[in-house]
Amino acid sequence: MTSSGRRKIYIFDTTLRDGEQCPGATLTPSEKLEIAKQLERLNVDIIEAGFPVASPGEVKAVQDISKAVKRPVICALSRMMPKDIDIAREALKFAVKKRLHVFLATSRIHREYKLKKGKREILKLAVQNIKYGRRFFKDVEFSPEDSARTEREFLVDVVKAGIDAGATTVNIPDTVGYAMPDEFGDLIAFLVNRNPGLGTKINLSVHCHNDLGLAVANSLEAVRNGANQVECTVNGIGERAGNASLEEIVMAIDTRRDFLKAHTDICLREITKSSRLVSHLTGLVVQPNKAIVGHNAFAHESGIHQDGILKKRQTYEIIDPRRIGLSGSDMVMGKHSGRHAFRERLKKLGYVLKPTELDQAFKRFKELADQKKYVFDGDLEAIVDDTISKVPEIWQLAHLKVTSETGARPKVVVALHRQGKTYEQMSEGDGPVDACYKAIEKITGIKTSLTQYAIRSVTVGKDALGEVHIKLAIHNREVSARATSTDVIEASVKAYLFALNKACATQETKSASPI
Ligand code: KIV
Ligand code: ZN
């Protein structure tokens, strides 16, 4: 409890144990160590570093983490078997603060089909092994696996037996993500009622899986009803649909401290970094609309929302993205974005345009937004660079037609405007860009030689702007130019014309014949 009257909720991170059990997420010992160091910076209270009996590599990973990570408690999972507990002891021998976590299934379905054991046998096994664990560990956590589907009276007996045997934390797992929030909260309240030391003298933990998408909701209901520890993983990775997501729980507790009357000691600004590291090392991509850490979590596309955000951030943003380590909202612009949002975004990017330039840039932005779904900052920079270039548009692209067939030389028709007149030429070439450049040469009568050509994507996605950089030798000068378009042939033509116009601005060209 703090002076503000808010209860401290312990964050038990199991990214490296339950999270790693996720298909395809296997981590090497050095990757686990890297994540553990980041979890330490994130300031989690407990790191469940692994399940040592699983492999010698797992023992080494837990040992490496125990040697390098000193502030949080390092925990290792073990079945209720002395030989497993001994391996966990070996794995944790270097840890400054250590916890043994023992589990045993208690629900009827697990007892009958998986363990083939009766209630009395389960109770006996739990007591024996918790007592064995306590011979070596001051801190022992006991999980009656599948608690949420265990008969309530039997769960009360199991929990009491575990505490009497020496468990210092009792963890209530919803192993298969079956519980409803109200029901799970009620279960926690029921257990506290039957064993009033839970959540105060004995830590009361919850461990929720996300099979029905309710892991975070269930964990928060448990907190409201007396749990003082939550088990979770970064990005919510874990078995099947995953575990409760650390960042969602922590930010819900922080954002709704008025309602939950609780707090955690998590260093919020490390959240984004932790999410990216876990995603990068596990190869598990975070879905774009994932709360808190998804790419779109702080993106505002609708014009009304963008306008509201600019007037008062809290209109549509309940979390300041800088608090979780982001630089600011990644405002994705789109066809619904208005002029105000467009101008403000440009200001943030360091561009203050004159009204006529702004008009031009905004028109170009709207054209682009019609072609591609999202307009990113890189696109906006490209638009502004195109708009505010000081080169007079002597030659302008009027239209372009490209016919290209496999095995045949591409044919193009290029039409250019100059001083109110339109000039058109057809041409063939080794490729469509070559054909276009030849057609332009025919129209303008200006001999050039292309000395450099490079193309790149400005932002992401199939509809991204293509940016073409060229160098053109014209009249014994080399002129560089760049242009962008979602159509790379068009970008190539525009870059060519930009270079030509630059050269023409200082030297008059030969006349060409209008169509
Ligand atoms: O989901 C579960 O029940 C577990 C236990 C080992 C805590 O992961
Ligand atoms: Zn689990």
Side-chain angles (χ1 to χ4, degrees):
M1 194 80 89
T2 57
S3 53
S4 64
R6 287 190 248 119
R7 285 188 310 134
K8 151 106 184 202
I9 305 301
Y10 289 84
I11 297 297
F12 177 114
D13 181 277
T14 183
T15 306
L16 298 174
R17 199 279 295 169
D18 220 351
E20 208 218 0
Q21 280 175 226
C22 180
T26 313
L27 296 161
T28 64
S30 70
E31 288 169 333
K32 284 186 113 182
L33 180 60
E34 205 177 331
I35 292 177
K37 286 181 179 165
Q38 179 57 31
L39 292 173
E40 185 176 37
R41 288 190 283 274
L42 185 63
N43 210 28
V44 302
D45 298 287
I46 302 112
I47 295 177
E48 188 163 52
F51 185 33
V53 76
S55 71
E58 191 77 343
V59 173
K60 176 166 167 24
V62 177
Q63 286 181 344
D64 290 350
I65 292 168
S66 303
K67 284 181 201 161
V69 177
K70 300 290 177 200
R71 200 207 44 75
V73 173
I74 308 298
C75 175
L77 183 70
S78 167
R79 291 175 298 183
M80 293 276 193
M81 292 181 190
K83 92 166 172 37
D84 280 30
I85 294 172
D86 290 343
I87 295 173
R89 276 170 63 201
E90 178 63 19
L92 287 170
K93 68 181 177 195
F94 301 110
V96 176
K97 297 186 231 166
K98 53 182 110 176
R99 177 180 293 184
L100 174 72
H101 180 188
V102 281
F103 72 102
L104 182 64
T106 50
S107 64
R108 165 174 274 151
I109 187 164
H110 278 238
R111 291 193 315 261
E112 286 180 5
Y113 293 93
K114 189 177 88 172
L115 300 174
K116 303 198 186 329
K117 290 191 194 315
K119 287 180 178 170
R120 285 192 33 207
E121 223 178 330
I122 296 284
L123 278 170
K124 195 169 147 205
L125 262 179
V127 169
Q128 276 174 352
N129 284 283
I130 292 168
K131 282 189 173 161
Y132 184 72
R134 275 304 304 261
R135 282 168 53 191
F136 314 103
F137 293 90
K138 283 202 247 44
D139 189 355
V140 173
E141 174 167 326
F142 167 41
S143 288
E145 193 190 1
D146 205 14
S147 285
R149 291 193 298 173
T150 299
E151 304 93 315
R152 282 194 175 193
E153 284 304 328
F154 182 52
L155 190 58
V156 169
D157 293 346
V158 166
V159 166
K160 184 175 179 319
I163 294 170
D164 290 348
T168 46
T169 298
V170 171
N171 180 41
I172 304 299
D174 181 16
T175 302
V176 289
Y178 181 74
M180 292 286 123
D182 201 33
E183 179 189 29
F184 197 62
D186 186 65
L187 173 64
I188 298 303
F190 167 80
L191 290 173
V192 174
N193 183 266
R194 295 291 292 273
N195 202 325
L198 279 174
T200 47
K201 288 197 195 91
I202 302 291
N203 287 323
L204 177 55
S205 174
V206 288
H207 175 112
C208 298
H209 277 268
N210 206 29
D211 299 65
L212 292 173
L214 294 169
V216 170
N218 287 343
S219 306
L220 295 174
E221 271 305 292
V223 165
R224 262 162 50 77
N225 284 282
N228 67 336
Q229 176 179 294
V230 175
E231 302 198 353
C232 46
T233 60
V234 173
N235 297 339
I237 65 169
E239 285 275 12
R240 309 179 307 280
N243 289 60
S245 133
L246 178 148
E247 55 282 352
E248 291 178 26
I249 287 171
V250 167
M251 290 316 292
I253 291 176
D254 180 77
T255 308
R256 296 308 311 273
R257 49 192 174 272
D258 59 321
F259 184 75
L260 293 163
K261 304 203 174 12
H263 77 97
T264 72
D265 284 342
I266 291 296
C267 177
L268 304 183
R269 66 174 182 282
E270 293 294 330
I271 284 180
T272 301
K273 243 190 271 161
S274 308
S275 163
R276 289 183 183 161
L277 180 68
V278 168
S279 173
H280 174 69
L281 293 181
T282 58
L284 298 171
V285 176
V286 175
Q287 76 191 59
N289 60 322
K290 160 112 174 51
I292 316 298
V293 291
H295 187 267
N296 294 347
F298 296 95
H300 307 278
E301 214 264 330
S302 128
I304 295 171
H305 289 205
Q306 290 182 348
D307 190 51
I309 283 274
L310 292 165
K311 287 173 176 152
K312 178 103 179 138
R313 191 183 54 75
Q314 288 87 342
T315 50
Y316 287 101
E317 233 172 55
I318 56 167
I319 296 166
D320 182 341
R322 287 168 298 193
R323 295 194 69 220
I324 59 153
L326 279 169
S327 52
S329 298
D330 181 9
M331 231 202 233
V332 177
M333 312 282 288
K335 63 179 175 195
H336 303 296
S337 304
R339 201 187 160 80
H340 179 201
F342 177 71
R343 193 186 55 217
E344 288 306 307
R345 192 71 206 144
L346 290 189
K347 243 200 229 166
K348 281 235 168 72
L349 295 172
Y351 297 108
V352 181
L353 302 191
K354 293 192 200 113
T356 49
E357 289 170 341
L358 187 71
D359 286 346
Q360 253 180 291
F362 188 62
K363 185 167 166 270
R364 173 97 173 83
F365 157 70
K366 282 287 179 183
E367 286 164 5
L368 184 63
D370 269 337
Q371 289 162 12
K372 75 196 286 274
K373 200 162 171 354
Y374 297 118
V375 180
F376 299 104
D377 289 350
D379 297 315
L380 294 180
E381 281 163 359
I383 287 174
V384 174
D385 287 350
D386 286 350
T387 310
I388 62 177
S389 63
K390 295 282 174 274
V391 175
E393 286 194 280
I394 299 169
W395 293 99
Q396 271 178 290
L397 178 64
H399 67 254
L400 173 66
K401 188 174 166 215
V402 180
T403 316
S404 184
E405 270 178 48
T406 320
R409 279 167 73 74
K411 292 188 182 67
V412 300
V413 177
V414 178
L416 304 181
H417 288 313
R418 189 185 173 188
Q419 293 174 342
K421 293 184 179 139
T422 304
Y423 305 83
E424 187 178 275
Q425 284 290 345
M426 280 176 61
S427 188
E428 283 188 6
D430 293 334
V433 173
D434 182 45
C436 288
Y437 287 3
K438 284 192 169 120
I440 295 172
E441 219 171 73
K442 280 191 203 169
I443 294 171
T444 60
I446 305 170
K447 285 268 168 258
T448 65
S449 132
L450 185 68
T451 54
Q452 200 174 302
Y453 179 91
I455 189 163
R456 73 170 188 106
S457 164
V458 173
T459 51
V460 290
K462 281 196 207 130
D463 62 357
L465 274 181
E467 185 178 64
V468 173
H469 280 259
I470 61 165
K471 277 191 182 159
L472 218 53
I474 312 173
H475 304 139
N476 299 323
R477 279 172 63 200
E478 193 168 64
V479 183
S480 60
R482 59 163 284 286
T484 56
S485 172
T486 47
D487 175 345
V488 291
I489 309 296
E490 187 180 287
S492 306
V493 168
K494 284 182 166 173
Y496 190 100
L497 292 176
F498 190 91
L500 212 57
N501 288 333
K502 244 189 196 174
C504 289
T506 49
Q507 194 168 342
E508 221 9 87
T509 58
K510 285 182 203 162
S511 61
S513 41
I515 48 172

Coordinates of all heavy atoms in Angstrom, one line a residue, residues 12 14 17-18 21 48 51 77-78 101-104 110 141-147 171-177 206-209 231 239-240 243, ligand 1:
F12 N 4.8 -10.3 -12.3 CA 5.5 -11.6 -12.4 C 5.5 -11.8 -13.9 O 4.5 -12.1 -14.5 CB 4.7 -12.7 -11.7 CG 5.3 -14.1 -11.8 CD1 5.8 -14.7 -10.7 CD2 5.3 -14.8 -13.0 CE1 6.3 -16.0 -10.7 CE2 5.7 -16.1 -13.1 CZ 6.2 -16.7 -11.9
T14 N 6.4 -13.9 -17.2 CA 6.7 -15.2 -17.6 C 6.9 -15.4 -19.1 O 6.8 -16.4 -19.7 CB 5.6 -16.2 -17.1 OG1 6.0 -17.6 -17.4 CG2 4.2 -15.9 -17.6
R17 N 9.3 -18.1 -19.9 CA 8.8 -19.5 -19.6 C 7.5 -19.8 -20.3 O 7.6 -20.4 -21.4 CB 8.7 -19.7 -18.0 CG 8.7 -21.1 -17.6 CD 7.4 -21.8 -17.7 NE 6.3 -21.2 -16.9 CZ 5.0 -21.5 -17.1 NH1 4.6 -22.4 -18.0 NH2 4.1 -21.0 -16.3
D18 N 6.4 -19.3 -19.9 CA 5.2 -19.6 -20.6 C 5.1 -18.9 -22.0 O 4.6 -19.5 -22.9 CB 4.0 -19.1 -19.8 CG 2.8 -20.0 -19.8 OD1 2.9 -21.0 -20.6 OD2 1.8 -19.9 -19.0
Q21 N 6.9 -20.9 -24.5 CA 6.2 -22.1 -24.9 C 5.3 -21.9 -26.2 O 4.7 -22.9 -26.6 CB 5.3 -22.6 -23.8 CG 6.1 -23.3 -22.7 CD 5.3 -23.7 -21.5 OE1 5.7 -23.5 -20.3 NE2 4.1 -24.3 -21.7
E48 N 10.2 -15.1 -14.4 CA 10.2 -16.6 -14.5 C 11.1 -16.9 -15.6 O 10.7 -16.7 -16.8 CB 8.8 -17.2 -14.7 CG 8.8 -18.7 -14.6 CD 7.4 -19.3 -14.3 OE1 6.5 -19.0 -15.1 OE2 7.2 -20.1 -13.4
F51 N 12.0 -23.3 -17.3 CA 11.5 -24.6 -16.8 C 12.7 -25.6 -16.9 O 12.9 -26.3 -17.8 CB 10.3 -25.1 -17.7 CG 9.6 -26.3 -17.2 CD1 9.4 -26.6 -15.9 CD2 9.0 -27.2 -18.2 CE1 8.7 -27.8 -15.5 CE2 8.3 -28.3 -17.8 CZ 8.2 -28.6 -16.4
L77 N 10.4 -22.8 -12.8 CA 9.2 -23.6 -12.7 C 9.6 -25.1 -12.5 O 10.6 -25.5 -13.1 CB 8.3 -23.5 -13.9 CG 7.0 -24.3 -13.9 CD1 6.0 -23.7 -12.9 CD2 6.3 -24.3 -15.3
S78 N 8.8 -25.8 -11.8 CA 9.1 -27.2 -11.5 C 7.8 -28.0 -11.3 O 6.9 -27.5 -10.8 CB 10.0 -27.3 -10.3 OG 10.1 -28.7 -9.8
H101 N 8.9 -22.3 -8.2 CA 7.4 -22.3 -8.6 C 7.0 -23.7 -8.9 O 7.5 -24.3 -9.9 CB 7.2 -21.4 -9.8 CG 5.8 -21.3 -10.3 ND1 5.5 -20.7 -11.5 CD2 4.6 -21.7 -9.8 CE1 4.2 -20.7 -11.7 NE2 3.6 -21.4 -10.6
V102 N 6.2 -24.3 -8.0 CA 5.8 -25.7 -8.3 C 4.3 -25.7 -8.7 O 3.5 -24.9 -8.2 CB 6.0 -26.6 -7.0 CG1 7.5 -27.0 -6.9 CG2 5.5 -25.9 -5.8
F103 N 3.9 -26.6 -9.6 CA 2.5 -26.7 -10.0 C 2.0 -28.1 -10.1 O 2.8 -29.1 -10.3 CB 2.4 -26.0 -11.4 CG 2.9 -26.8 -12.5 CD1 2.1 -27.5 -13.4 CD2 4.3 -26.8 -12.8 CE1 2.6 -28.2 -14.4 CE2 4.8 -27.5 -13.9 CZ 4.0 -28.2 -14.7
L104 N 0.7 -28.2 -9.9 CA 0.1 -29.6 -10.0 C -1.4 -29.3 -10.4 O -2.0 -28.5 -9.7 CB 0.2 -30.2 -8.6 CG -0.4 -31.6 -8.5 CD1 0.4 -32.6 -9.4 CD2 -0.4 -32.1 -7.0
H110 N -8.4 -32.8 -15.4 CA -6.9 -33.1 -15.3 C -6.6 -34.2 -14.4 O -5.8 -35.1 -14.7 CB -6.2 -31.8 -14.9 CG -5.9 -30.8 -16.0 ND1 -4.7 -30.4 -16.3 CD2 -6.8 -30.2 -16.8 CE1 -4.8 -29.5 -17.3 NE2 -6.1 -29.4 -17.6
E141 N 6.3 -20.6 -4.7 CA 5.0 -20.3 -5.2 C 4.3 -21.7 -5.6 O 5.0 -22.5 -6.2 CB 5.2 -19.4 -6.5 CG 3.9 -19.2 -7.2 CD 3.9 -18.1 -8.2 OE1 4.7 -17.1 -8.0 OE2 3.2 -18.2 -9.3
F142 N 3.1 -21.7 -5.3 CA 2.3 -23.0 -5.6 C 1.2 -22.6 -6.6 O 0.3 -21.8 -6.3 CB 1.8 -23.6 -4.3 CG 0.7 -24.6 -4.5 CD1 0.8 -25.6 -5.5 CD2 -0.4 -24.7 -3.6 CE1 -0.1 -26.6 -5.6 CE2 -1.4 -25.7 -3.8 CZ -1.2 -26.6 -4.8
S143 N 1.1 -23.4 -7.7 CA 0.0 -23.2 -8.7 C -0.8 -24.4 -8.8 O -0.4 -25.5 -9.3 CB 0.6 -22.9 -10.1 OG 1.1 -21.6 -10.1
P144 N -2.1 -24.4 -8.3 CA -3.0 -25.5 -8.6 C -3.5 -25.3 -10.1 O -4.3 -24.5 -10.4 CB -4.2 -25.3 -7.7 CG -3.7 -24.2 -6.7 CD -2.7 -23.4 -7.4
E145 N -2.8 -26.0 -11.0 CA -3.1 -25.8 -12.4 C -4.6 -26.0 -12.7 O -5.2 -26.9 -12.2 CB -2.2 -26.8 -13.2 CG -2.2 -26.5 -14.7 CD -1.5 -27.6 -15.5 OE1 -1.1 -28.7 -15.0 OE2 -1.4 -27.5 -16.8
D146 N -5.1 -25.3 -13.6 CA -6.5 -25.3 -14.0 C -7.4 -25.0 -12.9 O -8.5 -25.5 -12.8 CB -6.8 -26.7 -14.7 CG -8.0 -26.6 -15.6 OD1 -8.4 -25.5 -16.0 OD2 -8.6 -27.6 -16.0
S147 N -7.0 -24.1 -12.0 CA -7.8 -23.7 -10.9 C -9.2 -23.2 -11.3 O -10.1 -23.5 -10.6 CB -7.1 -22.5 -10.2 OG -6.0 -22.8 -9.4
N171 N -0.8 -19.2 -6.6 CA -1.1 -18.6 -7.9 C -2.4 -19.4 -8.4 O -2.4 -20.6 -8.3 CB 0.0 -18.9 -8.8 CG -0.2 -18.4 -10.2 OD1 -0.8 -17.3 -10.4 ND2 0.2 -19.2 -11.2
I172 N -3.4 -18.6 -8.9 CA -4.6 -19.2 -9.4 C -4.6 -19.1 -10.9 O -4.9 -18.1 -11.5 CB -5.8 -18.5 -8.8 CG1 -5.8 -18.5 -7.2 CG2 -7.2 -19.1 -9.2 CD1 -5.8 -20.0 -6.6
P173 N -4.3 -20.2 -11.6 CA -4.3 -20.1 -13.1 C -5.6 -20.4 -13.7 O -6.3 -21.3 -13.3 CB -3.2 -21.2 -13.5 CG -2.7 -21.7 -12.2 CD -3.6 -21.4 -11.1
D174 N -5.9 -19.6 -14.7 CA -7.0 -20.0 -15.6 C -6.3 -20.6 -16.8 O -6.1 -19.9 -17.9 CB -7.8 -18.7 -16.0 CG -9.0 -19.1 -16.9 OD1 -9.3 -20.3 -17.1 OD2 -9.5 -18.2 -17.6
T175 N -5.9 -21.8 -16.7 CA -4.9 -22.5 -17.6 C -5.4 -22.5 -19.0 O -4.7 -22.4 -20.0 CB -4.6 -23.9 -17.1 OG1 -4.1 -23.7 -15.8 CG2 -3.7 -24.7 -17.9
V176 N -6.7 -22.6 -19.2 CA -7.3 -22.8 -20.6 C -8.1 -21.6 -21.0 O -8.8 -21.6 -22.0 CB -8.1 -24.1 -20.7 CG1 -7.2 -25.3 -20.7 CG2 -9.2 -24.2 -19.6
G177 N -8.0 -20.5 -20.3 CA -8.7 -19.2 -20.6 C -10.2 -19.4 -20.7 O -10.8 -18.8 -21.6
V206 N -2.5 -14.3 -9.9 CA -3.3 -14.9 -11.0 C -2.5 -15.1 -12.3 O -1.6 -14.3 -12.5 CB -4.6 -14.1 -11.2 CG1 -5.6 -14.3 -10.1 CG2 -4.3 -12.7 -11.6
H207 N -3.0 -16.1 -13.1 CA -2.2 -16.4 -14.3 C -3.3 -16.8 -15.3 O -3.8 -17.8 -15.3 CB -1.3 -17.6 -13.9 CG -0.6 -18.2 -15.1 ND1 0.8 -18.1 -15.2 CD2 -1.0 -18.9 -16.2 CE1 1.2 -18.7 -16.3 NE2 0.1 -19.2 -16.9
C208 N -3.6 -15.8 -16.2 CA -4.7 -16.0 -17.1 C -4.3 -16.2 -18.5 O -3.5 -15.4 -19.0 CB -5.7 -14.8 -17.0 SG -6.4 -14.6 -15.3
H209 N -4.9 -17.2 -19.2 CA -4.7 -17.4 -20.6 C -5.8 -16.8 -21.4 O -6.8 -16.5 -20.9 CB -4.5 -18.9 -20.9 CG -3.1 -19.4 -20.6 ND1 -2.1 -19.4 -21.5 CD2 -2.5 -19.8 -19.4 CE1 -1.0 -19.8 -21.0 NE2 -1.2 -20.0 -19.7
E231 N 0.5 -12.6 -13.3 CA 1.5 -13.2 -14.2 C 1.1 -12.9 -15.6 O 0.0 -13.0 -16.0 CB 1.5 -14.7 -13.9 CG 1.8 -15.0 -12.5 CD 2.3 -16.4 -12.2 OE1 2.2 -17.3 -13.1 OE2 2.6 -16.7 -11.0
E239 N 1.3 -19.9 -24.7 CA 0.6 -21.1 -25.2 C -0.7 -20.7 -26.0 O -1.4 -19.9 -25.5 CB 0.2 -22.0 -24.0 CG 1.3 -22.8 -23.4 CD 1.6 -24.1 -24.1 OE1 1.1 -24.3 -25.2 OE2 2.3 -25.0 -23.5
R240 N -0.9 -21.3 -27.1 CA -2.2 -21.1 -27.9 C -2.4 -19.6 -28.1 O -1.6 -18.9 -28.8 CB -3.4 -21.7 -27.2 CG -3.2 -23.2 -26.8 CD -4.4 -23.8 -26.2 NE -4.8 -23.0 -25.0 CZ -4.2 -23.1 -23.8 NH1 -3.3 -24.0 -23.6 NH2 -4.6 -22.3 -22.8
N243 N -0.8 -15.5 -23.2 CA -1.1 -15.1 -21.7 C -1.6 -13.7 -21.7 O -1.6 -13.0 -22.7 CB 0.3 -15.2 -21.0 CG 0.7 -16.6 -20.8 OD1 1.0 -17.4 -21.7 ND2 0.9 -17.0 -19.5
Ligands
KIV1 O1 -1.2 -22.0 -17.4 C1 -0.8 -22.6 -16.3 O2 -1.6 -23.2 -15.6 C2 0.6 -22.5 -16.1 C3 1.1 -23.0 -14.7 C4 2.3 -23.7 -14.8 C5 1.1 -21.8 -13.8 O3 1.4 -22.0 -16.9

